[in-house]
Amino acid sequence: MLRKIGFLILFIISFSFMIYYGKETFYIDQKASTEMSHDYHFALITEEVGNEYWRLIEKGAKQAAEENDVYLEYIGPKLADDEERLETFDRMIAADVDGIIVKGMNDERFPQLVKKAKDRKIPVATIDTDNPTSNRDFYVGTDNFQAGYLAGRTLIKETEGKQKIAVIIGLKEAQNQLDRLAGFEKAIEDVDRMELIGVSESRITEVGAADGTYQLLKNHGNITAFFGVSALDGIGIVQAIEEINPTSRPYVLAFDLLPETLSLIENDKIQATVAQYPQEMGQQAVEQMVQWYQNQQPDSIQHTETGIIKQEDILNGEIIPKEEQ
Ligand code: BGC
């Protein structure tokens, strides 16, 4: 009897191994054949896989990939993490993909990885955030200093009297966030009535932005305006304002056009937002990478559009096209 049970256990174990490894082999084969059936295999390395803003970049990139017979791998950390992003970059070089599109980083290892990729004839593009000191082939994305400057000018135009301003920044190590803040500071520096009283970091999360806003409001009762520098910051700022419910409501300037931001603008909780066009970024980056293979050297810096969106520009959650305004 015991022998029989022993055999049965052995059988179950070996059967499970067979199923597991069989499936793995099948998966790898399937992946390899998907890659092989395309002209190119590009990797798009995101800052945070599930982030709504990055999903829009992915959407645009996938559209262009379909049209150009590219197998596009969208890959990166679950939560923003520079170490993991660098590791993924290195792994994609080792996998010998045909092109890498990656959010640029300040870390000194970033230019080294770009060099490593280029030594292996893998073209590299930065997206959303540049690192012009690296030898990347081209950048597609917002002019972040200019976008921050525009935010500052908007705040000057849209407010009256003395302003005590607080800023929620996505990540202090992200160059696009620093450039936006620098542009913003430049715009307000000569205007006496504009005073920046504090900066807090959200780690690009809504809850981080809400926490930072909560603390800032608790510590400085008289804040008159908030500027949220990354896509979810404006939404978090509103959450904290709703909770604290200050006697006079601060002006809220957000970033990006996520559906919730547009709805908060329509409901007068956010007064304006700086527009970026992530879907266009993704699309353009893939198209330009294909061009690179056709020996047409893409322009080194390719700025996508930016602008200010306010309540009058939105109808039922959608931006009213310019020609209809
Ligand atoms: C920035 C991205 C960032 C995202 C976070 C956007 O405004 O351009 O770099 O990852 O916000 O939600």
Side-chain angles (χ1 to χ4, degrees):
M1 182 65 185
L2 269 180
R3 256 172 72 119
K4 268 192 188 159
I5 293 174
F7 273 127
L8 191 66
I9 292 172
L10 209 67
F11 174 75
I12 291 171
I13 292 174
S14 44
F15 188 70
S16 315
F17 267 102
M18 196 182 87
I19 299 271
Y20 179 74
Y21 285 109
K23 206 172 108 224
E24 286 289 285
T25 320
F26 175 68
Y27 172 72
I28 290 165
D29 282 354
Q30 208 184 27
K31 190 167 170 244
S33 77
T34 321
E35 279 175 42
M36 271 160 52
S37 63
H38 290 81
D39 283 352
Y40 309 107
H41 173 186
F42 296 161
L44 168 58
I45 306 174
T46 167
E47 175 159 54
E48 200 172 76
V49 179
N51 185 292
E52 259 187 280
Y53 168 88
W54 282 94
R55 286 286 182 195
L56 291 169
I57 294 192
E58 181 199 14
K59 191 171 170 198
K62 286 238 158 107
Q63 261 163 17
E66 258 169 46
E67 284 158 20
N68 289 282
D69 203 12
V70 171
Y71 171 70
L72 185 89
E73 199 165 347
Y74 173 70
I75 192 168
K78 260 204 180 117
L79 293 176
D81 178 340
D82 279 5
E83 286 303 312
E84 204 180 322
R85 194 139 44 95
L86 286 163
E87 270 167 35
T88 310
F89 191 178
D90 204 14
R91 207 151 27 87
M92 289 298 109
I93 299 170
D96 201 24
V97 295
D98 301 313
I100 297 176
I101 301 167
V102 56
K103 173 170 170 148
M105 297 166 73
N106 285 340
D107 194 290
E108 58 184 24
R109 286 165 293 174
F110 185 81
Q112 290 164 8
L113 283 173
V114 173
K115 181 173 184 306
K116 186 169 170 185
K118 299 203 51 155
D119 286 348
R120 296 185 187 188
K121 308 269 177 297
I122 303 173
V124 178
T126 46
I127 192 162
D128 173 75
T129 303
D130 197 12
N131 179 335
T133 62
S134 72
N135 196 19
R136 50 87 183 129
D137 290 275
F138 59 96
Y139 165 66
V140 180
T142 300
D143 180 337
N144 286 298
F145 181 87
Q146 213 33 53
Y149 188 80
L150 186 62
R153 299 306 304 173
T154 304
L155 206 55
I156 296 168
K157 204 168 123 214
E158 301 289 319
T159 58
E160 276 174 8
K162 176 92 191 140
Q163 295 298 311
K164 292 205 177 279
I165 310 159
V167 170
I168 302 289
I169 193 171
L171 286 161
K172 284 187 176 155
E173 66 268 23
Q175 192 58 45
N176 63 344
Q177 302 294 292
L178 297 174
D179 289 347
R180 289 175 197 176
L181 183 58
F184 183 79
E185 287 182 308
K186 177 87 194 144
I188 63 168
E189 77 184 357
D190 295 329
V191 185
D192 283 347
R193 67 180 183 87
M194 311 298 276
E195 187 194 350
L196 182 57
I197 56 119
V199 179
S200 173
E201 193 187 32
S202 67
R203 304 295 305 168
I204 67 168
T205 65
E206 224 170 282
V207 50
D211 278 356
T213 305
Y214 194 84
Q215 290 310 327
L216 283 159
L217 281 172
K218 286 268 166 218
N219 296 339
H220 313 262
N222 50 357
I223 297 174
T224 59
F226 275 93
F227 172 36
V229 186
S230 75
L232 298 169
D233 296 338
I235 302 167
I237 291 170
V238 171
Q239 279 170 15
I241 293 179
E242 298 282 291
E243 175 140 350
I244 293 199
N245 198 16
T247 27
S248 76
R249 225 187 143 91
Y251 182 100
V252 181
L253 179 59
F255 225 96
D256 290 294
L257 304 176
L258 296 183
E260 196 172 346
T261 305
L262 297 188
S263 143
L264 290 169
I265 295 178
E266 278 197 288
N267 292 317
D268 210 22
K269 311 259 181 206
I270 291 179
Q271 279 61 52
T273 192
V274 184
Q276 293 198 93
Y277 297 91
Q279 210 168 314
E280 279 75 357
M281 289 179 205
Q283 188 171 350
Q284 200 168 319
V286 169
E287 283 168 0
Q288 294 289 309
M289 196 60 102
V290 172
Q291 297 247 313
W292 186 94
Y293 273 99
Q294 291 159 357
N295 289 328
Q296 296 169 22
Q297 188 54 46
D299 289 343
S300 163
I301 294 185
Q302 302 184 29
H303 284 148
T304 44
E305 240 188 280
T306 179
I308 294 291
I309 295 291
K310 297 195 294 182
Q311 206 176 40
E312 68 243 33
D313 307 311
I314 309 169
L315 186 67
N316 301 327
E318 304 277 342
I319 310 271
I320 308 169
K322 279 215 172 68
E323 49 290 359
E324 288 171 32
Q325 279 180 29

